[in-house]
Amino acid sequence: MDKAVFGAGCFWGVEAAFRSLKGVKATSVGYTGGTMESPTYEDVCSGTTGHAEVVEIEFDPSEISYDDLLETFWACHDPTTLNRQGPDVGTQYRSVIFVSGPEQDAAAHASKVRLEAAANTSGSIVTEIASLGSYWLAEDYHQQYLEKRRMRIL
């Protein structure tokens, strides 16, 4: 199994988008990219921790590739909006790919270049690509939030 970590706005919808993919074995939502240890949802929403809301995906690379996950990442949000997705505004909602190692880093950069070259976006891609540091699991009530409430994403 491999892991991938993406931030693309509110983690509820992002998690739901990835949970439905064949080859994704588990997901969790949490926080990374900031300076505070063991942040809470309230801490992250304050905008002072530097953390992003993210989804961690455990996947079987023999069933789904990291490149396939990147395609879903790009498709599930607007990578041209800085620090916002829909009504959610703040650095915690930024578009970011957290990479683990040189292979993920190269794949993430290559996918971003391909998207920029495709010219089918309405603006510049603002997505960050950063090394994954500590990942902090979000509170239980955030895990599979939409699924537990039988809500669907558009």
Side-chain angles (χ1 to χ4, degrees), residues 16-80:
F18 283 100
R19 284 183 65 76
S20 66
L21 299 176
K22 184 179 188 296
V24 170
K25 301 305 179 184
T27 61
S28 67
V29 296
Y31 319 108
T32 192
T35 56
M36 177 182 250
E37 292 199 20
S38 301
T40 65
Y41 181 70
E42 290 75 23
D43 294 329
V44 173
C45 286
S46 75
T48 61
T49 68
H51 288 291
E53 290 190 14
V54 297
V55 61
E56 181 184 69
I57 301 141
E58 185 175 330
F59 66 100
D60 183 342
S62 70
E63 294 182 49
I64 188 168
S65 70
Y66 185 69
D67 283 336
D68 290 335
L69 295 176
L70 287 165
E71 285 183 30
T72 298
F73 166 77
W74 295 120
C76 78
H77 77 297
D78 181 353
T80 66

Side-chain angles (χ1 to χ4, degrees), residues 68-98:
D68 290 335
L69 295 176
L70 287 165
E71 285 183 30
T72 298
F73 166 77
W74 295 120
C76 78
H77 77 297
D78 181 353
T80 66
T81 57
L82 184 63
N83 299 329
R84 92 173 288 148
Q85 288 297 309
D88 299 319
V89 179
T91 57
Q92 69 270 29
Y93 301 114
R94 66 189 180 271
S95 176
V96 58
I97 302 168
F98 288 101

